[in-house]
Amino acid sequence: PKAATEQMKDWLFKHLGHPYPSEDEKRKIAQQTGLTILQVNNWFINARRRILQPMMNEAAAQNRGHGAIRNTANKRIKLNIPMRRRIIAGASLPLLPLLRSRQNH
């Protein structure tokens, strides 16, 4: 059901730093959505693979060239640009633009 999916996505995006609901949280989500605990558990397993992993990959790809320009000799020059960063799975990634674009979908 779409309403259940939206509720679980909301939880997921609010907990990006640790996207693993506790057993109590899973029970609460299951009660609120009308799903079984197993369905909630499977949804989060799949969401971490299908939603979060591609977001992290996209952020990492954007981060590779961010903050650098090329001088006339075509060499990269690092710029010291402060960025908002969020720690996810041990990697520091700029996620603010990705989160905004994901929330609009």
mmCIF file of all heavy atoms in Angstrom, residues 21-47:
data_model
loop_
_atom_site.group_PDB
_atom_site.id
_atom_site.type_symbol
_atom_site.label_atom_id
_atom_site.label_comp_id
_atom_site.label_asym_id
_atom_site.label_seq_id
_atom_site.Cartn_x
_atom_site.Cartn_y
_atom_site.Cartn_z
ATOM 1 N N PRO A 21 15.463 0.129 12.086
ATOM 2 C CA PRO A 21 14.494 0.289 13.172
ATOM 3 C C PRO A 21 14.644 -0.826 14.210
ATOM 4 O O PRO A 21 14.953 -1.974 13.871
ATOM 5 C CB PRO A 21 13.140 0.198 12.465
ATOM 6 C CG PRO A 21 13.404 -0.453 11.155
ATOM 7 C CD PRO A 21 14.828 -0.175 10.813
ATOM 8 N N SER A 22 14.430 -0.448 15.461
ATOM 9 C CA SER A 22 14.466 -1.441 16.537
ATOM 10 C C SER A 22 13.236 -2.343 16.413
ATOM 11 O O SER A 22 12.309 -2.055 15.638
ATOM 12 C CB SER A 22 14.459 -0.744 17.894
ATOM 13 O OG SER A 22 13.202 -0.109 18.099
ATOM 14 N N GLU A 23 13.212 -3.417 17.195
ATOM 15 C CA GLU A 23 12.054 -4.316 17.170
ATOM 16 C C GLU A 23 10.787 -3.574 17.593
ATOM 17 O O GLU A 23 9.720 -3.785 17.013
ATOM 18 C CB GLU A 23 12.294 -5.538 18.060
ATOM 19 C CG GLU A 23 13.420 -6.438 17.566
ATOM 20 C CD GLU A 23 13.212 -6.931 16.137
ATOM 21 O OE1 GLU A 23 12.094 -7.352 15.789
ATOM 22 O OE2 GLU A 23 14.182 -6.890 15.352
ATOM 23 N N ASP A 24 10.905 -2.690 18.578
ATOM 24 C CA ASP A 24 9.746 -1.889 19.006
ATOM 25 C C ASP A 24 9.275 -0.963 17.886
ATOM 26 O O ASP A 24 8.070 -0.808 17.663
ATOM 27 C CB ASP A 24 10.081 -1.062 20.251
ATOM 28 C CG ASP A 24 10.179 -1.908 21.509
ATOM 29 O OD1 ASP A 24 9.603 -3.021 21.527
ATOM 30 O OD2 ASP A 24 10.826 -1.465 22.467
ATOM 31 N N GLU A 25 10.222 -0.337 17.198
ATOM 32 C CA GLU A 25 9.855 0.544 16.080
ATOM 33 C C GLU A 25 9.190 -0.245 14.960
ATOM 34 O O GLU A 25 8.218 0.218 14.359
ATOM 35 C CB GLU A 25 11.087 1.289 15.563
ATOM 36 C CG GLU A 25 11.582 2.348 16.530
ATOM 37 C CD GLU A 25 12.929 2.930 16.139
ATOM 38 O OE1 GLU A 25 13.836 2.161 15.748
ATOM 39 O OE2 GLU A 25 13.067 4.158 16.224
ATOM 40 N N LYS A 26 9.693 -1.442 14.678
ATOM 41 C CA LYS A 26 9.077 -2.286 13.647
ATOM 42 C C LYS A 26 7.645 -2.651 14.031
ATOM 43 O O LYS A 26 6.746 -2.613 13.187
ATOM 44 C CB LYS A 26 9.892 -3.558 13.425
ATOM 45 C CG LYS A 26 11.220 -3.341 12.736
ATOM 46 C CD LYS A 26 11.951 -4.661 12.631
ATOM 47 C CE LYS A 26 13.415 -4.473 12.358
ATOM 48 N NZ LYS A 26 14.147 -5.747 12.375
ATOM 49 N N ARG A 27 7.447 -2.997 15.314
ATOM 50 C CA ARG A 27 6.087 -3.327 15.780
ATOM 51 C C ARG A 27 5.158 -2.129 15.623
ATOM 52 O O ARG A 27 4.021 -2.270 15.153
ATOM 53 C CB ARG A 27 6.122 -3.769 17.241
ATOM 54 C CG ARG A 27 6.323 -5.255 17.430
ATOM 55 C CD ARG A 27 6.029 -5.676 18.864
ATOM 56 N NE ARG A 27 7.041 -5.189 19.801
ATOM 57 C CZ ARG A 27 8.213 -5.782 19.996
ATOM 58 N NH1 ARG A 27 8.532 -6.865 19.339
ATOM 59 N NH2 ARG A 27 9.075 -5.274 20.866
ATOM 60 N N LYS A 28 5.648 -0.958 15.990
ATOM 61 C CA LYS A 28 4.835 0.263 15.892
ATOM 62 C C LYS A 28 4.486 0.556 14.430
ATOM 63 O O LYS A 28 3.332 0.862 14.109
ATOM 64 C CB LYS A 28 5.599 1.438 16.510
ATOM 65 C CG LYS A 28 4.839 2.725 16.521
ATOM 66 C CD LYS A 28 5.657 3.833 17.177
ATOM 67 C CE LYS A 28 4.936 5.162 17.073
ATOM 68 N NZ LYS A 28 5.723 6.269 17.604
ATOM 69 N N ILE A 29 5.470 0.459 13.553
ATOM 70 C CA ILE A 29 5.233 0.700 12.118
ATOM 71 C C ILE A 29 4.247 -0.323 11.571
ATOM 72 O O ILE A 29 3.339 0.023 10.811
ATOM 73 C CB ILE A 29 6.565 0.688 11.333
ATOM 74 C CG1 ILE A 29 7.429 1.897 11.731
ATOM 75 C CG2 ILE A 29 6.313 0.676 9.832
ATOM 76 C CD1 ILE A 29 8.868 1.826 11.238
ATOM 77 N N ALA A 30 4.395 -1.581 11.977
ATOM 78 C CA ALA A 30 3.485 -2.632 11.513
ATOM 79 C C ALA A 30 2.049 -2.329 11.955
ATOM 80 O O ALA A 30 1.107 -2.453 11.155
ATOM 81 C CB ALA A 30 3.934 -3.993 12.040
ATOM 82 N N GLN A 31 1.879 -1.911 13.200
ATOM 83 C CA GLN A 31 0.541 -1.576 13.690
ATOM 84 C C GLN A 31 -0.046 -0.387 12.938
ATOM 85 O O GLN A 31 -1.215 -0.386 12.579
ATOM 86 C CB GLN A 31 0.585 -1.267 15.187
ATOM 87 C CG GLN A 31 0.793 -2.480 16.048
ATOM 88 C CD GLN A 31 0.988 -2.113 17.520
ATOM 89 O OE1 GLN A 31 1.205 -0.950 17.862
ATOM 90 N NE2 GLN A 31 0.930 -3.121 18.376
ATOM 91 N N GLN A 32 0.763 0.617 12.701
ATOM 92 C CA GLN A 32 0.288 1.830 12.033
ATOM 93 C C GLN A 32 -0.055 1.601 10.566
ATOM 94 O O GLN A 32 -0.928 2.254 10.025
ATOM 95 C CB GLN A 32 1.333 2.942 12.143
ATOM 96 C CG GLN A 32 1.529 3.462 13.537
ATOM 97 C CD GLN A 32 2.708 4.415 13.648
ATOM 98 O OE1 GLN A 32 3.572 4.459 12.780
ATOM 99 N NE2 GLN A 32 2.748 5.176 14.731
ATOM 100 N N THR A 33 0.654 0.675 9.925
ATOM 101 C CA THR A 33 0.477 0.472 8.481
ATOM 102 C C THR A 33 -0.419 -0.711 8.138
ATOM 103 O O THR A 33 -0.836 -0.856 6.994
ATOM 104 C CB THR A 33 1.849 0.242 7.802
ATOM 105 O OG1 THR A 33 2.463 -0.917 8.381
ATOM 106 C CG2 THR A 33 2.744 1.455 7.943
ATOM 107 N N GLY A 34 -0.667 -1.571 9.120
ATOM 108 C CA GLY A 34 -1.460 -2.759 8.839
ATOM 109 C C GLY A 34 -0.650 -3.879 8.196
ATOM 110 O O GLY A 34 -1.211 -4.863 7.715
ATOM 111 N N LEU A 35 0.661 -3.731 8.182
ATOM 112 C CA LEU A 35 1.537 -4.765 7.639
ATOM 113 C C LEU A 35 1.995 -5.690 8.767
ATOM 114 O O LEU A 35 1.878 -5.353 9.944
ATOM 115 C CB LEU A 35 2.764 -4.123 6.981
ATOM 116 C CG LEU A 35 2.513 -3.175 5.816
ATOM 117 C CD1 LEU A 35 3.821 -2.523 5.376
ATOM 118 C CD2 LEU A 35 1.861 -3.895 4.658
ATOM 119 N N THR A 36 2.535 -6.829 8.396
ATOM 120 C CA THR A 36 3.127 -7.710 9.404
ATOM 121 C C THR A 36 4.543 -7.219 9.707
ATOM 122 O O THR A 36 5.143 -6.472 8.919
ATOM 123 C CB THR A 36 3.207 -9.165 8.897
ATOM 124 O OG1 THR A 36 4.138 -9.217 7.804
ATOM 125 C CG2 THR A 36 1.845 -9.686 8.457
ATOM 126 N N ILE A 37 5.066 -7.670 10.850
ATOM 127 C CA ILE A 37 6.437 -7.308 11.209
ATOM 128 C C ILE A 37 7.402 -7.841 10.152
ATOM 129 O O ILE A 37 8.365 -7.164 9.790
ATOM 130 C CB ILE A 37 6.792 -7.824 12.621
ATOM 131 C CG1 ILE A 37 5.947 -7.078 13.657
ATOM 132 C CG2 ILE A 37 8.272 -7.651 12.912
ATOM 133 C CD1 ILE A 37 6.068 -7.609 15.066
ATOM 134 N N LEU A 38 7.134 -9.020 9.627
ATOM 135 C CA LEU A 38 7.983 -9.581 8.574
ATOM 136 C C LEU A 38 7.971 -8.696 7.325
ATOM 137 O O LEU A 38 9.020 -8.447 6.720
ATOM 138 C CB LEU A 38 7.527 -10.999 8.217
ATOM 139 C CG LEU A 38 8.342 -11.709 7.132
ATOM 140 C CD1 LEU A 38 9.801 -11.856 7.550
ATOM 141 C CD2 LEU A 38 7.736 -13.067 6.825
ATOM 142 N N GLN A 39 6.801 -8.191 6.940
ATOM 143 C CA GLN A 39 6.722 -7.297 5.772
ATOM 144 C C GLN A 39 7.500 -6.014 6.019
ATOM 145 O O GLN A 39 8.211 -5.527 5.127
ATOM 146 C CB GLN A 39 5.260 -6.969 5.452
ATOM 147 C CG GLN A 39 4.493 -8.118 4.844
ATOM 148 C CD GLN A 39 3.017 -7.797 4.718
ATOM 149 O OE1 GLN A 39 2.375 -7.360 5.663
ATOM 150 N NE2 GLN A 39 2.490 -8.007 3.514
ATOM 151 N N VAL A 40 7.375 -5.459 7.220
ATOM 152 C CA VAL A 40 8.118 -4.237 7.563
ATOM 153 C C VAL A 40 9.615 -4.523 7.520
ATOM 154 O O VAL A 40 10.392 -3.756 6.936
ATOM 155 C CB VAL A 40 7.688 -3.709 8.954
ATOM 156 C CG1 VAL A 40 8.615 -2.591 9.425
ATOM 157 C CG2 VAL A 40 6.241 -3.240 8.925
ATOM 158 N N ASN A 41 10.023 -5.620 8.125
ATOM 159 C CA ASN A 41 11.434 -5.997 8.142
ATOM 160 C C ASN A 41 11.976 -6.148 6.720
ATOM 161 O O ASN A 41 13.038 -5.602 6.387
ATOM 162 C CB ASN A 41 11.609 -7.298 8.933
ATOM 163 C CG ASN A 41 13.054 -7.580 9.247
ATOM 164 O OD1 ASN A 41 13.791 -6.705 9.670
ATOM 165 N ND2 ASN A 41 13.450 -8.812 9.026
ATOM 166 N N ASN A 42 11.253 -6.863 5.870
ATOM 167 C CA ASN A 42 11.691 -7.060 4.483
ATOM 168 C C ASN A 42 11.733 -5.746 3.710
ATOM 169 O O ASN A 42 12.631 -5.528 2.892
ATOM 170 C CB ASN A 42 10.789 -8.073 3.774
ATOM 171 C CG ASN A 42 11.028 -9.478 4.251
ATOM 172 O OD1 ASN A 42 12.084 -9.806 4.781
ATOM 173 N ND2 ASN A 42 10.030 -10.330 4.080
ATOM 174 N N TRP A 43 10.761 -4.859 3.969
ATOM 175 C CA TRP A 43 10.749 -3.575 3.282
ATOM 176 C C TRP A 43 12.031 -2.793 3.610
ATOM 177 O O TRP A 43 12.664 -2.232 2.717
ATOM 178 C CB TRP A 43 9.517 -2.739 3.654
ATOM 179 C CG TRP A 43 9.423 -1.521 2.802
ATOM 180 C CD1 TRP A 43 8.778 -1.381 1.619
ATOM 181 C CD2 TRP A 43 10.064 -0.246 3.045
ATOM 182 N NE1 TRP A 43 8.968 -0.121 1.106
ATOM 183 C CE2 TRP A 43 9.750 0.597 1.957
ATOM 184 C CE3 TRP A 43 10.857 0.253 4.065
ATOM 185 C CZ2 TRP A 43 10.195 1.908 1.875
ATOM 186 C CZ3 TRP A 43 11.319 1.567 3.976
ATOM 187 C CH2 TRP A 43 10.987 2.378 2.890
ATOM 188 N N PHE A 44 12.423 -2.757 4.874
ATOM 189 C CA PHE A 44 13.627 -2.014 5.255
ATOM 190 C C PHE A 44 14.894 -2.650 4.687
ATOM 191 O O PHE A 44 15.806 -1.936 4.276
ATOM 192 C CB PHE A 44 13.719 -1.842 6.776
ATOM 193 C CG PHE A 44 12.879 -0.692 7.271
ATOM 194 C CD1 PHE A 44 11.641 -0.910 7.837
ATOM 195 C CD2 PHE A 44 13.323 0.612 7.139
ATOM 196 C CE1 PHE A 44 10.855 0.140 8.265
ATOM 197 C CE2 PHE A 44 12.550 1.687 7.559
ATOM 198 C CZ PHE A 44 11.311 1.442 8.129
ATOM 199 N N ILE A 45 14.945 -3.961 4.658
ATOM 200 C CA ILE A 45 16.096 -4.632 4.041
ATOM 201 C C ILE A 45 16.214 -4.219 2.579
ATOM 202 O O ILE A 45 17.288 -3.833 2.110
ATOM 203 C CB ILE A 45 15.966 -6.171 4.171
ATOM 204 C CG1 ILE A 45 16.146 -6.597 5.622
ATOM 205 C CG2 ILE A 45 16.977 -6.878 3.261
ATOM 206 C CD1 ILE A 45 15.762 -8.040 5.899
ATOM 207 N N ASN A 46 15.105 -4.283 1.858
ATOM 208 C CA ASN A 46 15.108 -3.905 0.436
ATOM 209 C C ASN A 46 15.374 -2.417 0.247
ATOM 210 O O ASN A 46 16.089 -2.013 -0.676
ATOM 211 C CB ASN A 46 13.786 -4.300 -0.219
ATOM 212 C CG ASN A 46 13.656 -5.796 -0.357
ATOM 213 O OD1 ASN A 46 14.641 -6.509 -0.508
ATOM 214 N ND2 ASN A 46 12.431 -6.289 -0.294
ATOM 215 N N ALA A 47 14.808 -1.581 1.105
ATOM 216 C CA ALA A 47 14.982 -0.125 0.964
ATOM 217 C C ALA A 47 16.438 0.282 1.152
ATOM 218 O O ALA A 47 16.926 1.174 0.454
ATOM 219 C CB ALA A 47 14.090 0.603 1.967
#
